[in-house]
Amino acid sequence: MTLKILVTGGAGYIGSHCCKLLAKQGYAPIVYDNLSTGHRGFVQWGKLVEGDIRDKARLEAVLAAEQPVAVMHFAALALVGESVCHPERYWSVNGAGTYALLEAMRKTDCNNLIFSSTCAIYGKPDKLPIDEGAPKVPINPYGASKLTAEMMMESFDRAHGLRSVRLRYFNAAGADPDCDVGEDHESETHLIPLILDVALGRRPEISVFGNDYPTPDGTAIRDYVHVLDIAEAHIAALDHLIAGGETIALNLGTGRGASVSEVVAAVESVTGCLINKVHVPRRPGDPHELWADPMLAEEKLKWRAQKPLEIAVEDAWRWHQMRFGKEVCKEGGGRRM
Ligand SMILES: NC(=O)c1ccc[n+]([C@@H]2O[C@H](COP(=O)([O-])OP(=O)(O)OC[C@H]3O[C@@H](n4cnc5c(N)ncnc54)[C@H](O)[C@@H]3O)[C@@H](O)[C@H]2O)c1
């Protein structure tokens, strides 16, 4: 019998890649999404149920009707800046939405949950690499809402046996190499698609926030994980829960950081375009360096990120050209090298 997986937020960037891999592995994904930042066209490997994550009654009805073996919970708002200006949205969707899902799962005896958490729960780390035991002191409502969601999961496990794997992603990057799905956010804040926009002439330049950090080239360092590696981790987490494994929280990172200047250089090398950069002051509250200790994920799930930054950039570039046009380096901030 094909096992069903309810995928909230499966019409979005990471959720859609996971649905493709789920289907490839013989599972039947069912997407639950309100399409607020996702795309109907990204739902290609199972049916779409349109609904809001805060609608507990609807979630309960879907869970009761479909009887999925697990839920993968991607649905969320995920813009740090927006969360500072509109915290109410984040407490509502990420906080109350997760609560509604947990309640619906409890009522329908669905006891396996895989959750998209984030390194933003750690705030500004006092040591690197960041391991799962590091202090959790989020510095914005986005990170706080995700940490609260994790705490709800802990208590639902303790009281009701609702087990979860909380996957704390660092920076998701790249795209499906077949270009069936990829990254397409209306309000894009992620570095790689923003630089690719410059190469495609969709933006005049890339703003580099801070070049005076205490890092080797002065720009901020982040840990970029290929979206397909993240999808693989979800399958491993699913196998773990189905086999009766314990509740765990794991970092998903490569264990290696790349600076903004290194990412720009990788894009220049892949696209053959020189990227216009503008150095602007640091953003308040931006940690200068974030990268994961991924050893616990390897120990618990036998998962390790496989794809280097260059592959993520190549895959993202292929997708970006297909999705957004082919006027490479013609206008805007990129010119032929
Ligand atoms: N992209 C990253 O680098 C990154 C890093 C860390 C954590 N995450 C987390 O991973 C998850 C997926 O991120 P993404 O980049 O794919 O984002 P995304 O915006 O592409 O996907 C989110 C999906 O959730 C849906 N959604 C939003 N609000 C909803 C609601 N109220 N009801 C139902 N569906 C709703 C959207 O329509 C969209 O399809 C999020 O939970 C995010 O916090 C992402």
Side-chain angles (χ1 to χ4, degrees), residues 8 30 43 50 52 55 92 126 157 188 204 209 213 278 323 325:
T8 79
I30 299 161
V43 185
E50 276 185 66
D52 196 287
D55 188 344
S92 175
D126 48 21
D157 179 29
E188 192 54 80
F209 294 97
Y213 284 114
V278 178
R323 184 80 166 177

Side-chain angles (χ1 to χ4, degrees), residues 194-206:
L194 288 176
I195 309 175
L196 293 176
D197 268 357
V198 180
L200 270 189
R202 300 178 77 225
R203 283 173 207 272
E205 70 217 3
I206 180 81

Side-chain angles (χ1 to χ4, degrees), residues 8-325:
T8 79
Y13 169 44
I14 305 174
S16 60
H17 287 80
C18 283
C19 285
K20 182 171 181 180
L21 191 59
L22 278 168
K24 194 172 159 196
Q25 301 281 333
Y27 294 99
I30 299 161
V31 171
Y32 184 94
D33 200 302
N34 71 353
L35 301 177
S36 56
T37 60
H39 307 272
R40 191 179 296 279
F42 280 14
V43 185
Q44 301 171 26
W45 297 279
K47 73 173 167 187
L48 168 66
V49 178
E50 276 185 66
D52 196 287
I53 196 66
R54 293 160 291 189
D55 188 344
K56 185 159 65 72
R58 185 149 169 71
L59 279 167
E60 215 177 299
V62 173
L63 288 165
E66 301 289 353
Q67 299 279 311
V69 68
V71 175
M72 291 188 177
H73 178 32
F74 298 92
L77 299 180
L79 298 173
V80 169
E82 182 192 54
S83 82
V84 174
C85 302
H86 294 288
E88 66 284 357
R89 295 180 189 166
Y90 284 72
W91 291 113
S92 175
V93 175
N94 300 2
T98 299
Y99 167 69
L101 175 65
L102 288 169
E103 268 295 81
M105 289 178 71
R106 181 175 73 86
K107 295 246 172 80
T108 53
D109 268 333
C110 180
N111 287 316
N112 297 320
L113 175 63
I114 297 157
F115 176 57
S116 303
S117 191
T118 164
C119 63
I121 67 165
Y122 296 113
K124 279 186 164 184
D126 48 21
K127 79 176 177 51
L128 289 161
I130 303 171
D131 65 29
E132 288 78 357
K136 285 143 204 89
V137 194
I139 53 173
N140 50 62
Y142 168 62
S145 68
K146 288 283 183 172
L147 180 57
T148 304
E150 284 208 25
M151 291 163 83
M152 285 187 229
M153 283 165 208
E154 275 287 344
S155 56
F156 270 67
D157 179 29
R158 232 171 276 131
H160 306 303
L162 200 166
R163 287 168 310 130
S164 58
V165 177
R166 286 125 47 198
L167 298 173
R168 297 170 181 162
Y169 317 157
F170 281 62
N171 294 60
D176 170 33
D178 305 328
C179 290
D180 288 334
V181 285
E183 191 161 14
D184 180 358
H185 291 127
E186 201 176 300
S187 300
E188 192 54 80
T189 58
H190 294 149
L191 182 62
I192 293 173
L194 288 176
I195 309 175
L196 293 176
D197 268 357
V198 180
L200 270 189
R202 300 178 77 225
R203 283 173 207 272
E205 70 217 3
I206 180 81
S207 298
V208 178
F209 294 97
N211 62 354
D212 54 354
Y213 284 114
T215 59
D217 62 27
T219 63
I221 291 178
R222 297 289 180 269
D223 188 340
Y224 297 89
V225 199
H226 199 294
V227 65
L228 293 192
D229 281 330
I230 293 181
E232 293 284 357
H234 282 72
I235 301 291
L238 182 59
D239 293 344
H240 168 88
L241 288 176
I242 289 175
E246 60 186 341
T247 282
I248 34 175
L250 302 170
N251 287 343
L252 292 190
T254 63
R256 206 186 143 259
S259 71
V260 174
S261 293
E262 285 171 331
V263 176
V264 170
V267 172
E268 287 181 335
S269 146
V270 166
T271 62
C273 293
L274 275 177
I275 300 296
N276 282 346
K277 289 175 282 194
V278 178
H279 290 284
V280 292
R282 300 175 181 191
R283 276 184 302 211
D286 246 358
H288 66 275
E289 222 173 337
L290 290 176
W291 44 284
D293 177 344
M295 293 314 290
L296 195 60
E298 178 155 3
E299 183 191 319
K300 298 284 183 186
L301 299 184
K302 310 277 172 282
W303 175 89
R304 181 196 274 258
Q306 302 291 334
K307 296 177 188 296
L309 177 65
E310 291 66 30
I311 300 288
V313 172
E314 277 174 28
D315 291 342
W317 178 229
R318 199 177 308 112
W319 159 259
H320 218 76
Q321 290 175 91
M322 199 273 297
R323 184 80 166 177
F324 301 112

